[in-house]
Amino acid sequence: MAVTIKDVAKKANVAPSTVSRVIADSPRISLNTKKRVRKAMKELGYHPNVNARNLAVRSTQAIGVIMPSSAETALQNPFFPEVLRGIGSIAHETEYSLYVSTGGDDEQLFDEVKRMVYGHRVDGIILLYSRVNDPIMDFLVEENFPFVVVGKPYKNESQITYVDNDNIEASRELTNHLISFGHQHIAFIGGTTDLMVTKDRLLGYQSALSEVGIEVCQDYIVHDQFLRSSGKKAVEQLFALKKTPTAMVIADDMMSLGVINMLETLGLDCPDDVSITSFNNLYLSEITRPPLTTVDIQIYKLGIQSAKCLIEQLKTKDDEPARRVIVPYAIKFRQSTRKLD
Amino acid sequence: MAVTIKDVAKKANVAPSTVSRVIADSPRISLNTKKRVRKAMKELGYHPNVNARNLAVRSTQAIGVIMPSSAETALQNPFFPEVLRGIGSIAHETEYSLYVSTGGDDEQLFDEVKRMVYGHRVDGIILLYSRVNDPIMDFLVEENFPFVVVGKPYKNESQITYVDNDNIEASRELTNHLISFGHQHIAFIGGTTDLMVTKDRLLGYQSALSEVGIEVCQDYIVHDQFLRSSGKKAVEQLFALKKTPTAMVIADDMMSLGVINMLETLGLDCPDDVSITSFNNLYLSEITRPPLTTVDIQIYKLGIQSAKCLIEQLKTKDDEPARRVIVPYAIKFRQSTRKLD
DNA sequence: TTTACATTCACAAACGCTTGCATAAACTGA
DNA sequence: TCAGTTTATGCAAGCGTTTGTGAATGTAAA
């Protein structure tokens, strides 16, 4: 069918092996032959068959990207496209291809990972989330398959390469900002509790409160998915309380969006009635009204770094110890918070 | 290294070919042997090597997804994640894998397509855009490589399978809506002129105006990228005119976002001073203030349909004529338009 | 002129799977 | 009992590469 290495060999009057070595630019082939072979390749429009190559060298030049199983909804959070963009840029540079997960529920996603791993479809995997007791992560370490996670692993932290922000510190800083504005009744709205990122952000919030002697009130802490609709629900819950909060730390911009909407529906003004701070600095955090004070976690860089780590890891077969990359964050102060009189 | 078909064969006391046939569930193998082989597979934890399989059957179970070359920015428009989501869901169902492009500029993107095609990395391709004189599309038809495009091809329309909305009609309807509200000075803000989708939407707009005898004024037509920043620029340009428009048809929600922002900066109110209608019904079109009247093009379905078409096409090697699928649209009337007194 | 050693390349065996063809066994019916 | 037929499985040749090994040629030293 297509033109193969043999055709080229025939045309250039050499053996297939020689052609192969020319492709690999092996020093064992004389410049003359190389030229001749290259010419033949050009003329025939030859392109190597990756499958055959992969089979022979036992490697694909591809990396798998796993999004949370709620992938149906995951892509609705701009976080993922953005981190994908970062990964893609490195993948492109290094001539790796990108395999993305398509899984619906948890089980399907797991199947897909298995397919990637067992089927030798990818050389390594990037996990775009980190949750407690994640069977996929367990599987990956079990199989000793190269992978890196975006977020902090829930266990084996020292053996797993990961890239993350210092979410605890960021959250603490955010909370302190609210405290310095005179807020005492500060609520926390986080993603599902099994996400490490939620845990860390909650931790920072709690520690900031404790530090200044504010009691951490469980009623002020609500959890749900990183979606807009969830933000709405959370607000309903919080503002049904006796003593309603005057400020909140929200773990995701998408949720903040929902919060703002809901606040409006309840006839509450942000920041006049309640101050809001959140996370991620999605592009939409600038366009909400008011624009959000949010921590820029540099999503794109998270993608870049995770891809770099993985590829590095693939190059240096094993040995190399696990690495940890902490991408710095920066709080973007905008108009969603207000000093209490 | 890993467990291969031979290991299974040995363990089950059959030939490798038999194992292969068991995997394929061939009727030529007796139920008894099947059971025995399956047991052996289980026990050894056998998983077929896709590379080897692909090499043998000359197919990968993968489809490539090509986003516009400005991929760096493309993923910033939620259109792409959303359509990807649709594609992914079908891919998953049919056990296809997804290869996404990572290309930076036009040339890189083209390279990547070549790699996919020549390298036999994918069985077919979905093109997520359609622009005039697109070398990639030309290449694909030239190579007679299976592909479908989301959007209307700029040529060879009858030979290319594509899925699209009736953008002309949608745009006409949108414009008529504005006209029925008494607007006479209606501007059009579109994406770059080489995009087919821009062309169609412009066409609908123009035809609606002509039908009721409103002159189409070139000053009222501006073009730029489907980005928020572009929307801003467009507004500046339009409101520097002597006779400023009282309404606009905008070809993309992201742009509308920019438009609304800019309008505000200029001290203009939407819809009081200017009515806005736009396209795509991204989730953010509900959360802008005011919520946008926009046409819901059913992005997710576009993804679904394109994937279905492609896979269908892959099954029925050639023969089958090209298909065209028009996904119905629905205008979402919200608060961004107002009747002129 | 012979030996020793580079240099340059070809041979052939993998890699793990599919599949056309051959064959052996078991069954049919006369 | 035997030819004919069906059923169940094995053999071996691919698929298009890579790569270890060794053969042929050339060159320099002895």
Side-chain angles (χ1 to χ4, degrees), chain A residues 300-312:
Chain A
Y300 185 74
K301 264 200 191 142
L302 288 173
I304 296 268
Q305 291 299 327
S306 61
K308 277 192 179 165
C309 280
L310 181 61
I311 289 169
E312 191 72 20

Side-chain angles (χ1 to χ4, degrees), chain A residues 1-38:
Chain A
M1 181 141 304
V3 22
T4 81
I5 209 170
K6 284 185 199 153
D7 303 320
V8 177
K10 202 165 296 172
K11 173 136 192 163
N13 256 317
V14 296
S17 51
T18 303
V19 178
S20 171
R21 283 188 243 269
V22 170
I23 295 172
D25 204 20
S26 154
R28 288 177 44 185
I29 305 294
S30 70
L31 197 60
N32 252 326
T33 337
K34 275 186 188 171
K35 274 186 187 150
R36 196 151 38 91
V37 171
R38 293 218 176 94

Side-chain angles (χ1 to χ4, degrees), chain A residues 16-237:
Chain A
S17 51
T18 303
V19 178
S20 171
R21 283 188 243 269
V22 170
I23 295 172
D25 204 20
S26 154
R28 288 177 44 185
I29 305 294
S30 70
L31 197 60
N32 252 326
T33 337
K34 275 186 188 171
K35 274 186 187 150
R36 196 151 38 91
V37 171
R38 293 218 176 94
K39 184 152 158 275
M41 296 200 303
K42 264 262 156 58
E43 284 175 18
L44 291 169
Y46 168 76
H47 287 266
N49 178 319
V50 244
N51 271 323
R53 169 164 216 291
N54 289 343
L55 182 58
V57 303
R58 274 173 240 57
S59 117
T60 71
Q61 280 267 309
I63 78 191
V65 178
I66 312 295
M67 302 193 236
S69 68
S70 43
E72 300 283 337
T73 56
L75 277 171
Q76 279 180 19
N77 191 318
F79 173 87
F80 296 101
E82 181 69 3
V83 66
L84 206 52
R85 198 165 69 85
I87 295 172
S89 89
I90 295 298
H92 186 85
E93 256 177 41
T94 52
E95 303 228 299
Y96 270 83
S97 299
L98 241 44
Y99 248 145
V100 305
S101 70
T102 58
D105 59 37
D106 275 339
E107 203 184 339
Q108 289 181 343
L109 191 65
F110 198 177
D111 285 349
E112 199 146 21
V113 172
K114 283 189 201 148
R115 256 171 58 198
M116 286 190 185
V117 173
Y118 288 140
H120 298 267
R121 283 171 189 271
V122 300
D123 290 345
I125 279 181
I126 298 181
L127 220 48
L128 254 34
Y129 66 91
S130 171
R131 68 160 47 108
V132 176
N133 289 325
D134 183 20
I136 291 186
M137 198 153 99
D138 291 350
F139 169 77
L140 256 17
V141 325
E142 179 84 17
E143 293 286 325
N144 197 18
F145 195 79
F147 76 103
V148 345
V149 7
V150 175
K152 188 194 290 178
Y154 72 103
K155 69 176 181 191
N156 304 323
E157 202 191 311
S158 59
Q159 284 108 277
I160 296 177
T161 292
Y162 68 93
V163 4
D164 197 8
N165 306 104
D166 186 344
N167 279 306
I168 301 183
E169 190 51 35
S171 186
R172 184 183 297 142
E173 204 175 317
L174 217 46
T175 312
N176 278 332
H177 172 241
L178 291 171
I179 294 173
S180 76
F181 268 20
H183 291 278
Q184 298 273 327
H185 301 280
I186 305 175
F188 177 88
I189 306 183
T192 46
T193 49
D194 59 346
L195 286 176
M196 289 304 288
V197 60
T198 299
K199 281 188 180 305
D200 278 359
R201 289 174 184 174
L202 177 58
L203 222 56
Y205 155 86
Q206 287 171 324
S207 98
L209 291 187
S210 304
E211 266 165 30
V212 298
I214 301 180
E215 198 199 344
V216 177
C217 165
Q218 287 308 318
D219 286 345
Y220 276 0
I221 300 178
V222 295
H223 291 284
D224 207 327
Q225 290 189 301
F226 283 145
L227 287 175
R228 192 158 52 87
S229 51
S230 319
K232 294 198 177 190
K233 271 195 290 177
V235 172
E236 279 175 346
Q237 199 173 324

Side-chain angles (χ1 to χ4, degrees), chain B residues 198-340:
Chain B
T198 300
K199 282 187 179 306
D200 278 358
R201 290 175 184 174
L202 177 57
L203 221 56
Y205 155 85
Q206 288 171 324
S207 98
L209 291 188
S210 304
E211 265 165 31
V212 297
I214 301 181
E215 197 199 345
V216 177
C217 164
Q218 287 308 316
D219 286 344
Y220 276 0
I221 300 178
V222 295
H223 291 284
D224 207 328
Q225 290 189 301
F226 282 145
L227 288 175
R228 192 158 51 86
S229 51
S230 319
K232 295 198 177 191
K233 270 196 289 177
V235 172
E236 279 174 348
Q237 198 173 324
L238 286 171
F239 285 83
L241 294 175
K242 272 199 304 283
K243 177 62 201 165
T244 59
T246 64
M248 347 195 187
V249 173
I250 305 172
D252 183 282
D253 284 342
M254 286 298 279
M255 294 185 104
S256 298
L257 209 57
V259 169
I260 290 188
N261 270 210
M262 196 59 199
L263 244 28
E264 201 186 0
T265 314
L266 295 177
L268 292 168
D269 185 81
C270 169
D272 278 352
D273 299 316
V274 19
S275 290
I276 280 182
T277 61
S278 93
F279 279 88
N280 288 10
N281 193 35
L282 303 179
Y283 62 84
L284 51 72
S285 57
E286 284 186 77
I287 64 161
T288 52
R289 213 156 313 171
L292 296 172
T293 287
T294 188
V295 0
D296 182 0
I297 60 172
Q298 305 208 70
I299 304 177
Y300 185 75
K301 262 200 192 142
L302 288 173
I304 296 268
Q305 291 299 328
S306 61
K308 277 191 179 165
C309 281
L310 182 60
I311 289 169
E312 190 71 20
Q313 197 175 327
L314 296 179
K315 285 224 179 80
T316 65
K317 281 292 177 211
D318 280 331
D319 8 311
E320 288 302 301
R323 283 200 285 166
R324 184 184 68 169
V325 176
I326 301 297
V327 173
Y329 63 88
I331 300 185
K332 300 286 179 191
F333 294 98
R334 292 197 270 253
Q335 287 89 58
S336 63
T337 62
R338 160 179 165 273
K339 242 190 186 109
L340 232 47

Side-chain angles (χ1 to χ4, degrees), chain B residues 6-21:
Chain B
K6 283 186 201 153
D7 302 321
V8 178
K10 202 165 295 169
K11 174 137 192 164
N13 257 316
V14 295
S17 50
T18 303
V19 178
S20 171
R21 285 188 245 269

